Amino acid sequence: MNILVEKLPTEIEVDGQLCKINSDFRPCLRTILAFEDPDLAMYEKQLVMFENLYSTIPRNVSAGLIKAVWFLNGGQDNPKEDDGPRLVSFEKDSGLIFSAFRQTHGIDLEAVEYMHWWKFMALFMDLGKDTVFCDLVGLRKRVKTGKATKEEKAAAREMGDMFIIPEIDDRTLEEKEAE
């Protein structure tokens, strides 16, 4: 799929069934926020995904789950695994992301009636380096990779909770209960 020459999908095929997908960025972000929520079990996160992305639940739920993840990954079958530290939280960073869209692209996300998820992600990946959001992400990366200066580490400590991004807990309910 090439975003430059092909129309962005609003339907996806799930095991031979054509399913309408809620392609606006808002339901996709709500889904990602559910996956960031440590209080939800994996099956609850998956239920939120189905409720947000599909108008009608696919007959083949397993295939529907795989295709929903494919859609959230921008149509990539095998997105490259990034083993680096988590640097962004759509929950914690929402205000900074909102203002970075305005500053970089001149887009007021609240006023946008519809924006395809893949378009949102393309713009998100190109947020300007002169934004507070990108400064914060850069600082998180330097601190988490051990490349921060003493002053940057002190600034990160002063930020407190705003700076800290916990890793996503993707253990099953059984694994959590066993612990």
Side-chain angles (χ1 to χ4, degrees):
M1 170 82 204
N2 185 324
I3 193 171
L4 298 175
V5 295
E6 296 177 52
K7 188 172 171 136
L8 298 175
T10 57
E11 297 178 319
I12 55 177
E13 187 177 332
V14 179
D15 197 24
Q17 178 187 5
L18 197 59
C19 298
K20 182 167 176 31
I21 194 134
N22 295 325
S23 58
D24 185 51
F25 73 98
R26 293 171 186 92
C28 296
L29 283 174
R30 282 193 289 275
T31 300
I32 290 171
L33 290 171
F35 277 85
E36 287 184 4
D37 188 339
D39 296 329
L40 294 178
M42 185 54 74
Y43 75 91
E44 293 172 308
K45 295 175 183 187
Q46 292 171 349
L47 181 61
V48 169
M49 181 188 306
F50 277 108
E51 289 175 348
N52 277 297
L53 297 184
Y54 289 107
S55 300
T56 304
I57 304 291
R59 289 185 298 267
N60 184 336
V61 174
S62 296
L65 181 66
I66 291 167
K67 286 302 242 183
V69 171
W70 170 86
F71 182 79
L72 290 173
N73 285 331
Q76 297 179 19
D77 287 318
N78 298 311
K80 65 178 186 173
E81 287 291 324
D82 183 16
D83 293 330
R86 183 170 175 228
L87 302 173
V88 175
S89 165
F90 283 107
E91 179 68 38
K92 281 191 170 190
D93 300 333
S94 62
L96 296 176
I97 293 168
F98 183 89
S99 63
F101 262 83
R102 181 68 176 230
Q103 182 179 339
T104 303
H105 304 298
I107 297 172
D108 179 348
L109 290 173
E110 183 183 31
V112 171
E113 194 168 316
Y114 170 85
M115 183 187 303
H116 194 282
W117 171 244
W118 294 4
K119 181 178 178 181
F120 174 88
M121 286 306 297
L123 294 168
F124 175 78
M125 296 306 290
D126 190 40
L127 290 176
K129 64 179 179 166
D130 297 334
T131 64
V132 174
F133 170 70
C134 289
D135 287 343
L136 178 60
V137 171
L139 179 60
R140 284 177 181 151
K141 184 174 184 176
R142 288 188 301 280
V143 168
K144 290 185 176 192
T145 59
K147 296 178 181 176
T149 66
K150 190 175 6 175
E151 294 80 14
E152 288 175 326
K153 290 176 187 175
R157 281 191 299 278
E158 286 178 23
M159 287 181 197
D161 190 51
M162 178 184 180
F163 180 80
I164 298 167
I165 301 291
E167 294 302 317
I168 294 176
D169 186 359
D170 58 359
R171 296 174 297 161
T172 65
L173 185 58
E174 294 79 22
E175 291 170 333
K176 290 179 183 179
E177 288 175 349
E179 188 177 295

